[in-house]
Amino acid sequence: MSKKQYNTEDQAPMTVGEPAVAYGNASAKTSPDDGWNPNVPFHGTQEEWWEHFHQIEQVPFYTIEEADEEFEIWKKELLASRL
């Protein structure tokens, strides 16, 4: 997605009920690299969304069976390390 900055100075002050205020500085805790917070809505153009979807499609795809198998291996290793 583009690194477009949106002007928010002309907007009315946010209320406590809005996600950006309710979660406060959570974006620094969730992803310090890019400041993205999944709890705060993202507003973008149709082209930005399509670009985002195409980026997602470029990563490897795993079937549910492969994901379950990987999870079981991870779980066994985790439980073994706790003993």
Side-chain angles (χ1 to χ4, degrees), residues 12-59:
M14 290 191 270
T15 63
V16 176
E18 295 184 64
V21 175
Y23 291 98
N25 240 355
S27 62
K29 298 174 197 164
T30 55
S31 182
D33 296 333
D34 60 7
W36 180 73
N37 183 347
N39 299 313
V40 177
F42 170 78
H43 300 283
T45 64
Q46 182 178 4
E47 291 81 19
E48 290 172 326
W49 280 107
W50 279 115
E51 182 182 338
H52 178 68
F53 297 147
H54 291 306
Q55 287 175 352
I56 292 171
E57 292 170 346
Q58 298 303 316
V59 299

Side-chain angles (χ1 to χ4, degrees), residues 57-69:
E57 292 170 346
Q58 298 303 316
V59 299
F61 175 78
Y62 298 102
T63 64
I64 190 66
E65 292 81 15
E66 292 172 320
D68 286 342
E69 185 178 317

